[in-house]
Amino acid sequence: MKTIAHQQCLSPACNATYDIGQTLTGCQKCGELLDIRYDWDKAQLPKSLKEFEKRWHNRRFPLDHSGVWRFRDLLPFAADAMICTIGEGQTFLQNAQCLGHQLGMWPGQLYLQYEGLNPSGSFKDNGMTAAFTHARIVGARHVACASTGNTSASLALYAAQNGFQGIVFIGSGKVAFGKLSQALDYGAKTLQIAGDFDACLRRVRDVSAQLGLYLMNSVNPFRLEGQKTIMYRILEGLNWDVPDWIVVPGGNLGNCSAFGKAFEELLALGLIRKVPRLAIINAAGANTLNTVVNKLRVTWNNGNPDSQKIKALYAEMDAANYHPHTIASAIEISRPVNLKKALRALHIMNGIVAEVTDKQILEAKALIGRHGYGCEPASAATIAGLVDLLANGTISRRQRVACVLTGHGLKDPDATVHYHTGIPTKNAKQPPAEPTWGRLANKPIQVADDLPSIIAALGMSQNTLENSESTGYVETNTANLPFIEY
Ligand SMILES: *Cc1c(COP(=O)(O)O)cnc(C)c1O
Ligand SMILES: [Zn+2]
């Protein structure tokens, strides 16, 4: 296949380009991030997004089955034979009617893009399939990443299935067990470094450069190509309509950056007519983007964001020996490597940034769970943010909103069990002296091993059971949930 792809420096002032056969983690001239860019041949592209639906009929062919690669015309950097797919992206847009109602939204306007359904349980698989494909193109054998957990889980899975050696760097004590267990089980060499994520990332970049390991963090521009497809699937779920808002948690800011690029390209190619707005939600304990955008007022500024202000902020954080802290470990990052790309995405999508507290995150997570969608704390930042944005009128109740649920609920059962039982999490800064429960805590009931006590504890009479049987429907009774107040 004749490739139309190349790598290009993010900085318009530099604009250096590189062949896609090169393995780079930044521009060799100026050190900026790289993008994958294409010399599109419109004749080779579908005339409308609807044409992608033809591939639904061909699910036995792995590239058409993959929720990433059935859009391969929109990330055309690899010959089909090089593609490493394990069936990622079988995720879909769910209309969360009840949850939307609970938040006071107009009927049918809240959607959840449930990326927890990916093979490793998080959206990271969308990017990993693309980066492994590039690793295969350049003949890499050893692949490495620093991770708050999900990147390492995804890397370990793709490495094991595609014949690579995976190497993962994890910060001490911060990773959720669901994620760590995956890296270990899939045979990745796992290094626990006595430092936070930001420290791990610096180390893995140095080590990879020295040993020639292929770096899989989101500085890898190929990963973001795969993550664009999350947006394509949202459009697909809306019959190729564009929603009013996309809401996503912000950690290292790769995902939101990929979303911005996806819409920029679709618009330029004439495949959509309008771009949705973007809301990126930080955790209050890891809120660098929120500070940069809302306090320091830094903008994309045609590719020249005010780097001095960002540098000064980082120097301040260093001087104060600041380390991020949030229950949402997947977004516990204070130096997001894709910061500038995120500023570009905010520009493209007329976006905004907000932050939410851990308490808001946990309450939102419980509310999502009560409606039957399991997600980890970082993912729940979307709904927590949405509640605030509806309350302050930034998002109207009438608008159509798609929230990306980034990771599966089983990734971090610790946080969930804590919420419902009061048992402290290992990630807590200071375990509270008294057990604390959330507003929607569903406490397990202690009961003696004896029939009358068990029946009494269930608090049900024969009568209510018979009634529910006759209608064939048991009330889960969301009516009893506290309504979100503005
Ligand atoms: C990685 C991750 C995030 C953060 O995504 P970025 O691209 O780093 O901003 C959010 N949620 C989950 C579950 C993740 O694994
Ligand atoms: Zn450059």
Side-chain angles (χ1 to χ4, degrees):
M1 172 181 134
K2 178 174 129 325
T3 179
I4 57 166
H6 60 272
Q7 308 187 63
Q8 186 169 336
C9 178
L10 178 70
S11 159
C14 169
N15 227 13
T17 63
Y18 305 91
D19 192 88
I20 63 150
Q22 279 182 275
T23 304
L24 300 167
T25 57
C27 176
Q28 289 181 322
K29 294 212 179 82
C30 74
E32 257 313 333
L33 296 165
L34 296 171
D35 278 314
I36 309 305
R37 291 291 179 192
Y38 306 97
D39 303 312
W40 301 102
D41 178 357
K42 283 206 188 176
Q44 300 289 314
L45 278 171
K47 297 284 163 292
S48 82
L49 289 170
K50 200 165 175 57
E51 285 184 34
F52 285 107
E53 293 177 9
K54 284 184 206 139
R55 297 205 167 127
W56 294 350
H57 300 293
N58 199 22
R59 293 174 65 81
R60 220 173 282 156
F61 179 49
L63 299 193
D64 286 349
H65 178 64
S66 164
V68 171
W69 298 105
R70 67 187 147 86
F71 297 104
R72 57 193 174 279
D73 314 63
L74 297 172
L75 50 153
F77 68 84
D80 288 1
M82 300 308 278
I83 290 174
C84 292
T85 176
I86 61 171
E88 57 288 318
Q90 308 305 319
T91 66
F92 51 98
L93 194 65
Q94 319 226 16
N95 189 214
Q97 279 266 16
C98 287
L99 180 56
H101 176 71
Q102 198 84 43
L103 304 185
M105 295 172 71
W106 278 32
Q109 292 298 64
L110 177 63
Y111 291 83
L112 303 176
Q113 177 64 19
Y114 190 23
E115 290 297 311
L117 295 180
N118 272 292
S120 82
S122 84
F123 78 83
K124 298 293 196 301
D125 296 345
N126 291 284
M128 222 35 93
T129 182
F132 270 80
T133 296
H134 181 246
R136 184 183 272 175
I137 290 171
V138 299
R141 305 274 311 118
H142 297 85
V143 295
C145 73
S147 178
T148 61
N150 280 332
T151 303
S152 56
S154 182
L155 177 148
L157 174 51
Y158 276 84
Q161 286 214 22
N162 293 289
F164 292 79
Q165 173 63 54
I167 301 163
V168 305
F169 285 48
I170 283 168
S172 54
K174 288 298 176 75
V175 59
F177 266 5
K179 308 174 187 184
L180 180 60
S181 67
Q182 290 176 290
L184 300 177
D185 225 21
Y186 298 136
K189 198 170 273 186
T190 305
L191 272 64
Q192 283 193 289
I193 313 261
D196 61 14
F197 172 81
D198 299 295
C200 277
L201 183 56
R202 279 195 291 265
R203 294 292 182 209
V204 77
R205 287 180 86 158
D206 292 347
V207 172
S208 297
Q210 210 156 24
L211 298 180
L213 311 177
Y214 184 94
L215 190 65
M216 285 287 179
N217 277 100
S218 56
V219 291
N220 182 321
F222 292 93
R223 259 186 60 191
L224 304 199
E225 289 307 290
Q227 288 168 212
K228 291 191 305 193
T229 65
I230 300 168
M231 294 301 104
Y232 308 153
R233 296 197 296 275
I234 287 181
L235 299 184
E236 187 175 46
L238 297 173
N239 197 19
W240 311 108
D241 273 349
V242 176
D244 295 303
W245 287 90
I246 302 287
V247 186
V248 65
N252 230 347
L253 306 178
N255 222 14
C256 57
S257 299
F259 299 172
K261 187 169 187 285
F263 285 111
E264 179 187 41
E265 289 172 350
L266 290 180
L267 192 68
L269 292 170
L271 291 169
I272 53 171
R273 290 219 194 85
K274 83 165 210 203
V275 168
R277 296 192 67 188
L278 175 67
I280 307 173
I281 315 297
N282 268 172
N287 61 353
T288 300
L289 182 69
N290 190 50
T291 305
V292 165
V293 169
N294 291 328
K295 297 230 173 76
L296 304 179
R297 301 275 159 201
V298 177
T299 62
W300 170 239
N301 190 27
N302 295 317
N304 299 297
D306 191 337
S307 303
Q308 289 313 319
K309 282 192 183 163
I310 299 167
K311 268 194 204 139
L313 174 67
Y314 286 1
E316 241 175 71
M317 292 188 328
D318 280 344
N321 194 24
Y322 170 82
H323 291 286
H325 189 87
T326 165
I327 182 88
S329 56
I331 53 174
E332 188 179 60
I333 294 172
S334 65
R335 289 163 181 269
V337 293
N338 290 297
L339 181 61
K340 285 190 185 168
K341 283 188 178 177
L343 293 173
R344 182 178 64 186
L346 289 167
H347 170 73
I348 294 166
M349 298 177 69
N350 187 17
I352 57 122
V353 182
E355 67 175 58
V356 290
T357 64
D358 280 9
K359 200 161 184 293
Q360 287 177 289
I361 287 174
L362 288 172
E363 291 300 340
K365 190 178 108 56
L367 192 61
I368 296 166
R370 190 65 81 86
H371 287 90
Y373 306 98
C375 70
E376 61 171 284
S379 317
T382 53
I383 295 295
L386 177 59
V387 167
D388 279 355
L389 294 169
L390 286 167
N392 68 26
T394 307
I395 297 182
S396 134
R397 293 147 190 256
R398 273 174 252 187
Q399 288 183 304
R400 187 180 268 188
V401 179
C403 295
V404 183
L405 293 188
T406 46
H408 200 282
L410 294 177
K411 289 284 193 172
D412 192 357
D414 204 38
T416 310
V417 171
H418 164 69
Y419 180 91
H420 291 289
T421 64
I423 297 168
T425 58
K426 65 180 163 48
N427 213 6
K429 202 177 214 170
Q430 250 181 338
E434 297 287 318
T436 53
W437 288 277
R439 285 202 310 165
L440 302 178
N442 180 21
K443 297 177 208 170
I445 303 160
Q446 308 287 340
V447 60
D449 181 15
D450 132 272
L451 198 54
S453 318
I454 292 171
I455 288 174
L458 285 173
M460 293 167 143
S461 66
Q462 188 68 31
N463 198 14
T464 56
L465 291 177
E466 271 163 12
N467 282 342
S468 64
E469 225 167 342
S470 63
T471 59
Y473 177 69
V474 180
E475 277 291 331
T476 46
N477 214 353
T478 44
N480 279 346
L481 295 179
F483 200 81
I484 298 286
E485 288 157 25
Y486 297 103

